[in-house]
Amino acid sequence: MSSVTSPSSNSNTQPSPIQQAAQSILSGATGSSLDVNTLVQVLVNAKTAGHTAVLAHQQQSDNAVISALSAIKSVLSSLKTSLTGLADGSVFSQFAATASGKGIEATATAAAGAAAGSYSVFVEQLAAANQISSKAFTRDATLGTGTLTIGVGSGSMSIELDSKNNTLAGLAQAINGAADNPGVTAAVVKGSDGEHLVLTSKQTGAANTVSVSAGAGVDANLATANFKQVTAAQDAKLTVSGNPVTSASNVVKDALTGVTLTLTSPAVGTTQTVGIESDTTAIGKAVQGFADAYNAWVSAQKAQSAYDPTTRQAAPLLGDSMLNSAVNSIGRIMSSGVSVGGKTYSLAQIGLDLQHDGTLAFSSSKLQSSLKSEPTGVSSVFNGTNGIGQQLDKLLNEYTLSTIGQLDKRSASINDELTSITKQQSDLTTYQQTLTAQYNAQFNALNRLLTTVSNNKTYLNQLFGGNGAAGTLNKRG
């Protein structure tokens, strides 16, 4: 905003808008025409510049605050996400399963009832899918017309053979494209003795045998009795800690509660040990992720509330009460212990040490040591009732939940203010246009008046003398 020059200002000081206007008028009064455009611009600016500057400053400030609030919400949302598995304690119920040899892949499912321990597993045979092959047919042999029924296990479908599809290739295509296919694939194998229709069950297991029934008018060689068995349908057979187990699939679920055993051929005929223990790797990743997210929050809140004494620039949220409240509330939770069963646990005991700058230093080795020596102590810090994760999750909801959280409410309020500022700026522009038109009319009229006065003065000087002129009347005398 322009400042008004005081009377005591030195000669190098620029004149104020009012002084500029006065000088323009005086110039017009002493014989020169008014610079109306400049005069009007100066007066309109003098009238509105202050309000314009105030609105622009407030708009800039509001946008900076909204940007800062968005940054804060982002890091708090990330901090909340990092608590997944920690806030409810579920990460501590995850188990890792391993097998001692080849051919068995063991995986444990979190919170599915797995129990730590070692179990012996002997694999007798793998599950297999039934595959049968027809007798040889000559090339492009026709198969008759009628209904062919193909079954797999308890399901079946009917294929209608006619002159368009009653070849082996046509039949295979019809089987594979059938919408009600019960789970069988068909292929034509061209052998040295002719062409064969090969049918394979999509599912392993003794119950999933393939059958073919040829109706009237269909080549009898397509009946099951005329197919040879290439691979017998069979279940996987194994023993787990001496207990016999059968499975239609080589992916054996819940023979060990909460554990899935995936069997492949190298495991057949071997006895292996499957070990199940707490998944310390998953716990370590979860705690590390929490520490990283917390440190990002500390960095962000400091950046948005900083003050630079060199440039004398303040960040948008310096002294902001809502941010200060969040910082203090989160700090109290982080520094307080958790009481479980009459014993108090802290973050430091599981490798999370609060530093002087407010950040967390994470020691993976200390966490792993705690998991071995006192696993219940680690889970107690993040227990699902009053643990640090649960407390933080509840607090962060107050700030981060969409539309009802404090951050969104605050942003919405500022956006309403920005809408009002935009309206005021529009109104101010309209006012400037009106004022410009008004001043233009007034000073153009004044300019015309001054011009008339100046012309009259010249005429009188010429007539009566003056201003260096002898005067027409004086000459006559």
Side-chain angles (χ1 to χ4, degrees), residues 353-373:
D353 292 307
L354 282 169
Q355 306 298 290
H356 292 301
D357 62 357
T359 60
L360 280 176
F362 173 55
S363 171
S364 177
S365 59
K366 189 173 182 179
L367 173 64
Q368 296 302 324
S369 177
S370 297
L371 287 170
K372 290 181 180 179
S373 63

Side-chain angles (χ1 to χ4, degrees), residues 94-96 277-285 367-368 371-372:
Q94 290 186 23
F95 290 89
E277 58 184 13
S278 293
D279 192 347
T280 56
T281 299
I283 295 172
K285 287 182 178 179
L367 173 64
Q368 296 302 324
L371 287 170
K372 290 181 180 179

Side-chain angles (χ1 to χ4, degrees), residues 45-202:
N45 285 345
K47 193 94 171 179
T48 61
H51 196 186
T52 298
V54 168
L55 291 176
H57 175 75
Q58 188 60 51
Q59 186 178 51
Q60 182 181 21
S61 175
D62 283 353
N63 281 323
V65 172
I66 284 181
S67 179
L69 292 175
S70 177
I72 292 299
K73 182 178 180 180
S74 178
V75 293
L76 287 181
S77 296
S78 294
L79 180 59
K80 177 177 168 59
T81 299
S82 75
L83 294 170
T84 303
L86 292 172
D88 60 6
S90 62
V91 70
F92 300 103
S93 62
Q94 290 186 23
F95 290 89
T98 57
S100 60
K102 296 181 179 181
I104 298 179
E105 180 184 343
T107 55
T109 304
S118 296
Y119 308 88
S120 63
V121 177
F122 171 74
V123 180
E124 178 182 339
Q125 69 179 36
L126 299 180
N130 187 207
Q131 186 179 83
I132 59 176
S133 177
S134 72
K135 289 183 176 182
F137 287 83
T138 59
R139 183 178 180 181
D140 296 329
T142 57
L143 308 176
T145 58
T147 301
L148 187 71
T149 302
I150 299 174
V152 179
S154 60
S156 65
M157 67 177 174
S158 295
I159 301 294
E160 296 298 327
L161 293 178
D162 55 30
S163 60
K164 295 180 181 179
N165 65 359
N166 65 350
T167 62
L168 289 184
L171 175 57
Q173 184 177 4
I175 292 171
N176 294 331
D180 58 347
N181 187 311
V184 61
T185 59
V188 177
V189 176
K190 297 177 181 179
S192 58
D193 58 344
E195 295 183 346
H196 301 262
L197 180 68
V198 178
L199 301 175
T200 307
S201 170
K202 293 181 181 180

